[in-house]
Amino acid sequence: TKLILLDSLLQEIMIQRAQKLGVRSVLFVQSRPVSVLVLNCGSSSIKFQVINTDNGKVGVKGQADNINTAQGRIKWKIGNDEEKRNIKKPDFEEVLKDVLDIAKRVPFNLIGHRVVHGGEIFKQPERIDKAFLDQLQTISNLAPMHNPIQMQAMKLSTEIFRGVQQAAVFDTSYYSGMPEYAFMYPVPHHWYTQHRVRKYGFHGTSHYYITREAAKFLKEPVEQLNIVSCHLGAGCSVTASKGGVGVDTSMGFTPLSGVMMGSRSGDVDPSIMQHLERESGLSLDYVMQDLNNQSGLKGITGTPDSLQVEQLFSKNDERGILAVEMFTYSIAKYIASFIVPLGRIDALVFSGGIGEKSSIKRRKIIQHLSGLGFTCDEAENERHGGGSGGLISKQGEGPPVLVIKTNEELVIANLTQQLYKDAQRI
């Protein structure tokens, strides 16, 4: 006997009932429109949204913060109603159960998970099942702060929503077309063959989204464009995209390398670690903690907050000025270097919290790039492109410079929907 269900909102209940009735298999046929629950799980937070893939509307949006601490909080919005409360049991699994209980107050057909690292194995979205999870486990050491947590979330959500199809979308997959000469490091080759040491790149879903939005603005197929995109937030990355594919990027084996960031150093000479060990007796782990959590803007000014740094800058604070100059210089250098893999730059795009909101930093980056023909319309830059559809460069002068609000969750929702566009047997 087969049971046909046209609306998967009640899939879990129907499976349980079907089992009691002796139904051997259930076929779910997705109704339209499709809504996807997107889960973005980190070591201390869980972000979640339910997104309608037909129109991009958000049914529920929320975030749990300070997981595994006494200050755990969760907030969410459904329609015009907003709620927030303290988390009674702040361990990850209990918080995720709370998140899933909130999310199922609105209908969804599928679940999409953000996964930080796919290594060289996963180059496109994948359906989640036991075989997939077993394979993902083999590369968990490449992202020990993220992948194990995200695997835990996948296991729990598949247990709770057994009848809902789920997908994993990888940050690294956008760079699967990066040429070998770009992703290899000039180190002993067995580091790569035995330990998988190479450039992987991150923020891929963000760069995927903003390059395609830039193509829409330019009214050109993304396949014909060479775009440099800057995702600038707490973490920062600059990516060269050729024909909608990431061909080089600033982040490397981990998200620590590349440009200066909020609390991460970006590129530094690795000999510094040996020097500090000899001079101060600092362990490798201690130095790595400092490079990840006490460096970047925070290392220079004492704060990782971009707005606070700009306040120092506006007061002519010496460290504030230095931090802004270092930050913008490091980003401009990477942008300019990508003329090599691209040959030409058809558009420069800023996104992320800093990229979308910091007119000071954007202006300074563009000024560094004047030799490549980039210009800045001061008025539009101050408006963050709000009066020109995102364009902040001078009309008709040099390559377009755009400000585009990123939407990684929508990318995950759309890619999940595409993966499961055909009805699947459960």
Side-chain angles (χ1 to χ4, degrees):
T1 305
K2 296 178 182 178
L3 176 64
I4 304 298
L5 182 63
L6 297 179
D7 190 338
S8 63
L9 308 182
L10 301 176
Q11 284 184 3
E12 182 61 26
I13 295 172
M14 295 302 291
I15 284 179
Q16 293 172 1
R17 290 181 179 176
Q19 290 172 341
K20 290 179 181 178
L21 294 171
V23 177
R24 292 191 298 272
S25 64
V26 181
L27 180 65
F28 293 112
V29 180
Q30 294 176 6
S31 60
R32 293 294 184 266
V34 171
S35 288
V36 181
L37 168 60
V38 177
L39 293 173
N40 181 353
C41 299
S43 57
S44 62
S45 68
I46 301 173
K47 298 177 184 178
F48 59 100
Q49 291 188 33
V50 173
I51 302 174
N52 182 311
T53 56
D54 276 3
N55 54 31
K57 289 184 178 180
V58 177
V60 60
K61 180 177 182 179
Q63 183 166 340
D65 291 306
N66 299 317
I67 298 174
N68 299 317
T69 75
Q71 290 78 42
R73 298 272 292 171
I74 186 168
K75 60 181 180 180
W76 66 95
K77 182 177 181 180
I78 300 176
N80 294 322
D81 298 326
E82 294 186 51
E83 296 185 52
K84 59 183 177 181
R85 59 176 165 81
N86 294 328
I87 299 171
K88 294 179 180 179
K89 295 181 179 180
D91 65 280
F92 179 81
E93 186 166 317
E94 291 300 321
V95 175
L96 181 57
K97 288 178 181 178
D98 278 353
V99 164
L100 296 177
D101 280 340
I102 293 166
K104 67 184 182 183
R105 296 180 190 180
V106 298
F108 57 84
N109 312 72
L110 303 167
I111 300 176
H113 296 258
R114 178 217 178 191
V115 182
V116 165
H117 217 306
E120 292 188 315
I121 300 174
F122 302 110
K123 299 181 179 181
Q124 57 190 2
E126 294 283 342
R127 295 169 181 165
I128 296 173
D129 55 24
K130 185 180 183 302
F132 163 78
L133 291 171
D134 288 344
Q135 196 171 23
L136 184 60
Q137 178 64 43
T138 65
I139 59 170
S140 61
N141 64 324
L142 292 176
M145 294 295 292
H146 293 91
N147 273 31
I149 286 288
Q150 289 155 358
M151 286 184 64
Q152 188 179 350
M154 287 183 266
K155 289 176 181 178
L156 183 61
S157 65
T158 52
E159 288 174 8
I160 293 175
F161 298 108
R162 288 179 294 159
V164 180
Q165 296 159 320
Q166 306 192 31
V169 178
F170 301 89
D171 281 11
T172 51
S173 63
Y174 186 63
Y175 307 103
S176 59
M178 195 186 308
E180 187 176 21
Y181 57 78
F183 72 67
M184 286 293 292
Y185 290 120
V187 296
H189 196 259
H190 70 267
W191 288 17
Y192 170 64
T193 57
Q194 296 179 22
H195 307 294
R196 296 174 288 205
V197 172
R198 53 157 286 181
K199 176 183 283 193
Y200 289 100
F202 300 91
H203 292 151
T205 51
S206 179
H207 292 290
Y208 176 99
Y209 178 82
I210 57 183
T211 53
R212 281 146 182 80
E213 289 300 299
K216 291 178 186 177
F217 178 90
L218 298 171
K219 295 181 172 59
E220 296 282 351
V222 71
E223 293 79 11
Q224 296 178 13
L225 293 171
N226 294 344
I227 296 172
V228 175
S229 49
C230 306
H231 178 104
L232 309 179
C236 301
S237 63
V238 182
T239 288
S241 296
K242 193 176 186 68
V245 176
V247 294
D248 205 349
T249 188
S250 57
M251 287 181 169
F253 180 68
T254 72
L256 175 60
S257 64
V259 303
M260 183 178 179
M261 303 177 228
S263 67
R264 298 178 214 157
S265 63
D267 293 338
V268 296
D269 185 339
S271 298
I272 291 170
M273 290 180 273
Q274 185 183 50
H275 171 76
L276 289 172
E277 181 183 27
R278 288 174 176 172
E279 292 288 312
S280 305
L282 299 177
S283 68
L284 175 61
D285 285 345
Y286 187 93
V287 174
M288 289 300 296
Q289 285 289 332
D290 272 2
L291 291 174
N292 273 290
N293 303 314
Q294 303 297 328
S295 299
L297 297 176
K298 184 177 182 180
I300 302 301
T301 66
T303 176
D305 186 277
S306 174
L307 182 58
Q308 291 180 22
V309 171
E310 289 186 12
Q311 290 170 348
L312 293 173
F313 176 87
S314 65
K315 294 175 182 178
N316 290 319
D317 178 88
E318 184 178 342
R319 295 281 188 89
I321 293 171
L322 176 61
V324 171
E325 296 292 354
M326 290 175 65
F327 182 84
T328 55
Y329 178 72
S330 72
I331 292 165
K333 275 207 308 180
Y334 261 100
I335 294 169
S337 74
F338 287 155
I339 199 73
V340 174
L342 296 180
R344 69 177 194 279
I345 299 175
D346 296 317
L348 172 63
V349 187
F350 291 98
S351 194
I354 296 174
E356 295 164 23
K357 299 174 183 178
S358 176
S359 59
I360 293 172
K361 295 187 179 74
R362 289 195 305 260
R363 182 178 69 249
K364 285 189 164 291
I365 291 167
I366 295 167
Q367 286 172 348
H368 282 303
L369 298 168
S370 61
L372 294 177
F374 289 96
T375 64
C376 180
D377 182 313
E378 295 291 345
E380 277 305 325
N381 185 46
E382 289 300 319
R383 288 193 290 265
H384 312 299
S388 58
L391 184 71
I392 61 169
S393 54
K394 296 177 180 178
Q395 289 276 0
E397 295 186 32
V401 183
L402 304 168
V403 176
I404 295 175
K405 183 176 176 59
T406 192
N407 194 337
E408 296 167 271
E409 290 79 13
L410 181 59
V411 172
I412 294 170
N414 284 334
L415 293 177
T416 299
Q417 188 271 337
Q418 289 171 22
L419 184 66
Y420 284 114
K421 61 184 177 181
D422 298 323
Q424 297 294 317
R425 187 175 300 278
I426 303 297

